[in-house]
Every structure is written in structure tokens, then in C-alpha cells.
């Protein structure tokens, strides 16, 4: 059994004198040190050391995992998808409780593996471990975990890796907050031709059901100069599609003096040579400006897709959710967007079973799905998150009523999606080829500007290229097509 060390996670504070340049140099040195330690272990083992990073949750986590993979690779450690690896890292999500439960289940399996291979190193990071109760549970129930670090200090991963390889015992390094934005570590991208780019971190909206503001902290934007430099660097290495990432991209730049707004940033990204497609995630309806609509409508590169989470079609529920818009103002925004961009694909997130919601509110969500004419939607059953205001509200629907409501919402989404995606049938559109089809290697899968997938005949040499595809068959959420 390990000794516990560094369990006092309150003692870490970030000072204003903190210098990102100094920190970057320090972390680079740490990568060199990690490489030496990895080499020592390899000499003992007589084989390469390997690591498996498993990502749960959203695009932000996916991007963080690319950074973790980048550091591991730079330290000479091999990456694998097999959880039998020497190092297993779970990059966790806590937005809904079932994500937490999945991690606990899989941790149990890792514990069994570790009994056979005591040198195995098990690491947890991401949003879930920002909760003190989770850390307590892991210490008590899963004491074989070697390291836990949070979302605020991921830029220190090289240093954390050194400590892991030095075999320090259970390392817990979770910060409550940070003012700093350090973003200059090696990265291993999942796709060579497309990449996420963080433009901001955290969220200040405090929707009453959501745990993100507590685990990701206050909203912080990166300087536009740094973002653009990263985009230019990506373009130089063959990336043609970027996805600008933030919990609420429409409030980009808030709090940074003299900084450009989100539409301004989009215009600058548009100028970067080599970038052919620009996407962004996620937009909060309350902050979506006319200027953004204008910039999107005029742009040649911004994709014709907007993810605009509505959460509910009932103004009463939206108020309880603290979303700061109404059903009517949301729909007005949708009509405005459609007028400016008739081909725009709009997708959304919907929660069913929010405490206080009734069957009549679900009816309103169903009717809004039809009025907004979504191309797709992610639907979720409300999950109670400790510490959020809604955790204290009382539910007015039984589990059966919630499940019935969820099914009605899902059926409406599927019907709308099939109808709206089919509006492009027969048209020829440009697709970025992402991969060889998993089921049939004579086919490849491409993504249209509107974020819909299309499968067509092709081979591995096409991956990363743009192809003009005639959309011949609508399969509901995707197309079958032909190259023209
Ligand atoms: N329960 C269910 N869904 C949630 N989401 C956020 N918090 C919760 C919760 N407590 C959903 C919202 C958000 C998406 C990322 O996750 O729909 O837009
Ligand atoms: Fe959560 Fe609302 Fe922030 Fe989105 S905008 S991360 S739902 S608090």
C-alpha cells in the first residue's frame, strides 16, 4: 500500500508574479528529466515503456489528452490503446453522474490488473477529480491509484510525470483555481489534418444544473496573439481545419483589456493561410451577437454549423436553469440565423427531467425542436450534481414520467434530424475525408461543412483531403455519396 503524500490540496496558490515563459522552460526541462527516468525503467524492464490515455467527455478533454499524449511521446514513452499498459491515465468528465460511475467501474478493473503487475501506474485527471468528495472516495476505495491531478495544472504534466516515475507514492495535486494560461507543450494530435485550439477556459454562467463552473473555474481567455500563433503553427504542420474551443466562446475576450471580440478573432483566424475550415464550440445563446452572424455569413471558411444549446423549450424552466433567455428570444435568434444563412445546420443540447419541470414543459421542448428545425441534438436526462443550486430543487416528475418525456424528446429530434438533413439530398458538397470506414475498408468517411458525415468509395490515400461528393442517399443522421 502507498503512503499518501501532498494531500493538502488547499496549499497550492498561484501568485500574480507567476511568469509563463519561465514556467514553459521549466516544464521543457521536466520532459528531459522524465525521458531519463523512463529510460531507466526501460533498461530494467528490457522493453519500451508504454502508456494508454482514455478520454471521457467533451472536446476540451479531448484536446487536453492530446497534450498529455504529446508530453508522453516527447519523454519517449510509447502510446497504446491497451489498458494493460505500464501507465494508464483516465482523463475524466463529471458533467453527469453516469460519467463518474463509468470511471469507478473501470478503475475496479485496473485494480485487478495492478495486482498482477504492481509496477503499473494509474493516473486520474480531468473534471471529476476537481471535486473533494471524489478524491476522498478514491483514497478510500481505490488506494492503488498512483496520481491524481486536476484541470488547472495540466500544463505542469511534465513535472507530474517526473514525480510519477520517481515513484513517490500516491500524488494528489489538485488546485482550486488558477489565473494563469500556459499553453506551450508538445501535442500529439489524433488527426494530423484537424485540431482543436483552446481560446478560453472555465465558465462564469452558473447554469443552475451545471458543475462546470465549479470544476473548470472562472472564465479566462487566451491572448489573441497566442491563439493566432498556434493556428499558424498548426497550418504549417498540415492542419486545414481548426475548432476553436471554449465553454462559452461568444464571451471571448471579456476581462482582457484591449482584446478583440470573438467575431474579431474569427476574422483573424480566417486570414491564416492553409486554414480552410473554421469551427467553434460552444455558443451560449445569450451572448450570440449580430456581429457574429454577420462574420459567419460573410466568411468563406467558417463552417455552416452552429451548436446552440437550448436545454429546454419552456421559458419557466429556462428561468429556473438560469439560462438568461426565453423560448421566444431563442427562437428569434434561430430565425435571424436562418435568414442570414439559409444552409446553416443548427444542433443543440437538451435536458429532460430538470427539477421543477413538468410534462407540459416537455411538450414545449418538443414543439421547440420542430420550430427550430434542428439537424441534430444531444439529449440528456438531468443528473443531480452536488453543490449546484438545482441539487436543492425538488423534482415534480417521477422517474417514469421523466423517461417518457425523454423518449418523446428523442423521437422529435430523430424525426426533425431526418427531415432537415435530407434537405441536402442530391446536392454536391465538399467533404473533408477523416478516416477509412471502420466497417468497409473500400469506403471512407468525410465530414461536410454542416458537420454531417458522408460515406463514399475511397481509400486511405484520401484521408485529410477535400473531395466533392454528390449526396445520393440520406440515412437519417448521415449520407451515402459518390465522388464527382
Ligand atoms: N444533467 C444533465 N445534463 C447536463 N448537462 C450539463 N449539466 C447537466 C446535468 N447536471 C448537459 C447540458 C450541456 C451539456 C454539455 O451537458 O445540456 O449543454
Ligand atoms: Fe455549464 Fe451553463 Fe457554463 Fe455551459 S454555459 S458550461 S451549461 S454553466
Amino acid at each position: 500500500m502507498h503512503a499518501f503524500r501532498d494531500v493538502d490540496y488547499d496549499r497550492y496558490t498561484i501568485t500574480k508574479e507567476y511568469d509563463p515563459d519561465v514556467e514553459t522552460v521549466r516544464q521543457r526541462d521536466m520532459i528531459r528529466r522524465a525521458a531519463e527516468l523512463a529510460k531507466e525503467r526501460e533498461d530494467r524492464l528490457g522493453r519500451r515503456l508504454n502508456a494508454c490515455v482514455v478520454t471521457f467527455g467533451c472536446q476540451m478533454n479531448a484536446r487536453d489528452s492530446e497534450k498529455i499524449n504529446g508530453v508522453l511521446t516527447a519523454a519517449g514513452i510509447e502510446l497504446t490503446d491497451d489498458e494493460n499498459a505500464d501507465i494508464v491515465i483516465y482523463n475524466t468528465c463529471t458533467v453527469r453522474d453516469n460519467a463518474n460511475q463509468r470511471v469507478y467501474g473501470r478503475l475496479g478493473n485496473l485494480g485487478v490488473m495492478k495486482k498482477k503487475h504492481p509496477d503499473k501506474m494509474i493516473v486520474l485527471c480531468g473534471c471529476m477529480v476537481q471535486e473533494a468528495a471524489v478524491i476522498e472516495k478514491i483514497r478510500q476505495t481505490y488506494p492503488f491509484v498512483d496520481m491524481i491531478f486536476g484541470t488547472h495544472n495540466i500544463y505542469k504534466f511534465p513535472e507530474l510525470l517526473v514525480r510519477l516515475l520517481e515513484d513517490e507514492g500516491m500524488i494528489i495535486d489538485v488546485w482550486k483555481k488558477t489565473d494563469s494560461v500556459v499553453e506551450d507543450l508538445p501535442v500529439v494530435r489524433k488527426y494530423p489534418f484537424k485540431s482543436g485550439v483552446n481560446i478560453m477556459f472555465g465558465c462564469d454562467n452558473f447554469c443552475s444544473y451545471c458543475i462546470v463552473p465549479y470544476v473548470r473555474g472562472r472564465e479566462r481567455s487566451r491572448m489573441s496573439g497566442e491563439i493566432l500563433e498556434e493556428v499558424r503553427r498548426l497550418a504549417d504542420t498540415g492542419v486545414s481545419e481548426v475548432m476553436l474551443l471554449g465553454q462559452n466562446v461568444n464571451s471571448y475576450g471579456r476581462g482582457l483589456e484591449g482584446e478583440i471580440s470573438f467575431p474579431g478573432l474569427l476574422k483573424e483566424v480566417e486570414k491564416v493561410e492553409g486554414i480552410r475550415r473554421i469551427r467553434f464550440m460552444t455558443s451560449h445563446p445569450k451572448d450570440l451577437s449580430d456581429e457574429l452572424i454577420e462574420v459567419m455569413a460573410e466568411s468563406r471558411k467558417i463552417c455552416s454549423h452552429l451548436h446552440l444549446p437550448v436545454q429546454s423549450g419552456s421559458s419557466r424552466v429556462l428561468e429556473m436553469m438560469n439560462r438568461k433567455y426565453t423560448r421566444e428570444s431563442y427562437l428569434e435568434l434561430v430565425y435571424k440565423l436562418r435568414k442570414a444563412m439559409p444552409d446553416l445546420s443548427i444542433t443543440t443540447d437538451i435536458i429532460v427531467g430538470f427539477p421543477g419541470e413538468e410534462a407540459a414543459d416537455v411538450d414545449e421542448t418538443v414543439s421547440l425542436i420542430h420550430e427550430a428545425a434542428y439537424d441534430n441534438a444531444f439529449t440528456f436526462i438531468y443528473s443531480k450534481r452536488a453543490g449546484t443550486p438545482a441539487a436543492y430543487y425538488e423534482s415534480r416528475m417521477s422517474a417514469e414520467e421523466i423517461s417518457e418525456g425523454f423518449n418523446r424528446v428523442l423521437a422529435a429530434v430523430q424525426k426533425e434530424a431526418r427531415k432537415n438533413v435530407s434537405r441536402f439530398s442530391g446536392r454536391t458538397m465538399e467533404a473533408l475525408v477523416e478516416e477509412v470506414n471502420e466497417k468497409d475498408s473500400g469506403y471512407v468517411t468525410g465530414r461536410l461543412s454542416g458537420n454531417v458525415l458522408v460515406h463514399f468509395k475511397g481509400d486511405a490515400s484520401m484521408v485529410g483531403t477535400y473531395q466533392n461528393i454528390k449526396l445520393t442517399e440520406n440515412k437519417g443522421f448521415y449520407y451515402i455519396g459518390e465522388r464527382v
Side-chain angles (χ1 to χ4, degrees), residues 86-123:
D86 300 302
I87 304 173
V88 176
I89 302 178
Y90 283 175
N91 189 4
T92 63
C93 168
T94 189
V95 95
R96 284 169 294 276
D97 188 54
N98 52 9
N100 293 39
Q101 296 311 324
R102 266 170 56 215
V103 167
Y104 289 134
R106 290 176 70 152
L107 262 184
N109 296 342
L110 288 186
V112 174
M113 291 184 200
K114 186 157 176 163
K115 278 218 175 91
K116 283 194 217 132
H117 301 286
D119 281 347
K120 191 178 184 72
M121 289 165 266
I122 300 173
V123 179

Side-chain angles (χ1 to χ4, degrees), residues 221-396:
S221 294
R222 283 176 78 194
M223 304 297 283
S224 59
E226 278 175 35
I227 296 170
L228 290 166
E229 208 177 286
E230 185 175 338
V231 173
R232 279 185 215 111
R233 253 197 331 255
L234 287 167
D236 286 346
T237 59
V239 166
S240 67
E241 179 180 304
V242 287
M243 160 105 73
L244 307 181
L245 297 172
Q247 300 295 348
N248 182 14
V249 291
N250 295 327
S251 64
Y252 171 79
R254 197 181 286 166
L256 283 186
E257 220 165 296
E259 205 31 286
I260 49 180
S261 64
F262 183 57
L265 180 67
L266 283 171
K267 280 203 247 177
E268 291 303 313
V269 175
E270 174 113 15
K271 289 183 199 152
V272 178
E273 216 173 300
I275 296 298
R276 198 152 154 179
R277 279 184 171 181
I278 305 168
R279 300 184 184 279
F280 52 87
M281 273 280 234
T282 290
S283 283
H284 194 305
K286 78 176 164 63
D287 297 315
L288 198 146
S289 64
D290 288 349
E291 192 192 352
L292 176 65
I293 300 177
E294 227 168 86
V295 169
M296 282 181 81
E298 277 169 15
S299 164
R300 289 175 302 112
K301 296 184 177 177
I302 299 174
C303 287
S304 113
H305 171 225
L306 186 68
H307 187 64
L308 195 63
V310 68
Q311 314 298 0
S312 168
S314 153
S315 294
R316 192 180 74 83
V317 173
L318 288 170
E319 164 117 48
M320 288 191 289
M321 287 177 161
N322 191 31
R323 291 289 291 178
K324 302 193 174 81
Y325 55 85
T326 61
R327 172 195 176 89
E328 290 71 29
S329 65
Y330 181 91
L331 281 172
E332 243 167 62
L333 181 59
V334 168
Y335 300 144
K336 207 169 7 169
L337 285 157
R338 293 226 183 273
K339 195 162 166 223
M341 292 167 276
D343 271 353
L344 184 71
S345 293
I346 304 182
T347 57
T348 201
D349 292 343
I350 294 168
I351 299 176
V352 179
F354 181 83
E357 187 175 45
E358 295 176 0
D361 298 304
V362 180
D363 292 343
E364 291 206 55
T365 300
V366 168
S367 80
L368 178 130
I369 291 167
H370 296 304
E371 280 189 47
Y374 291 118
D375 286 80
N376 208 343
F378 296 107
T379 48
F380 307 107
I381 289 188
Y382 168 75
S383 169
K384 182 172 173 170
R385 309 314 289 130
T388 61
Y392 303 98
Y393 304 170
E394 255 178 63
S395 188
R396 291 199 198 161

Side-chain angles (χ1 to χ4, degrees), residues 13-31:
T13 48
I14 285 265
T15 61
K16 288 282 178 206
E17 292 89 288
Y18 172 88
D19 180 341
D21 291 335
V22 172
E23 188 60 36
T24 301
V25 171
R26 179 178 157 79
Q27 295 307 321
R28 291 254 152 97
D29 285 344
M30 288 292 171
I31 293 176

Side-chain angles (χ1 to χ4, degrees), residues 369-470:
I369 291 167
H370 296 304
E371 280 189 47
Y374 291 118
D375 286 80
N376 208 343
F378 296 107
T379 48
F380 307 107
I381 289 188
Y382 168 75
S383 169
K384 182 172 173 170
R385 309 314 289 130
T388 61
Y392 303 98
Y393 304 170
E394 255 178 63
S395 188
R396 291 199 198 161
M397 288 198 283
S398 65
E400 291 79 57
E401 284 170 317
I402 292 173
S403 159
E404 189 270 335
F406 181 79
N407 290 338
R408 277 198 295 138
V409 165
L410 200 60
V413 166
Q414 281 167 352
K415 193 169 161 202
E416 265 320 302
R418 183 171 280 275
K419 186 170 106 200
N420 295 316
V421 171
S422 77
R423 73 191 189 279
F424 303 117
S425 276
R427 285 200 17 203
T428 296
M429 294 183 138
E430 192 179 67
L432 168 56
V433 182
E434 294 197 341
E435 56 204 2
V436 174
N437 199 294
E438 271 174 26
K439 290 189 198 119
D440 184 345
S441 62
Y443 276 76
V444 291
T445 302
R447 193 177 294 271
L448 303 173
S449 173
N451 210 35
V452 172
L453 295 180
V454 54
H455 306 289
F456 52 95
K457 281 203 178 110
D459 57 50
S461 70
M462 282 182 197
V463 172
T465 66
Y466 290 80
Q467 303 286 339
N468 284 322
I469 304 298
K470 180 160 188 197

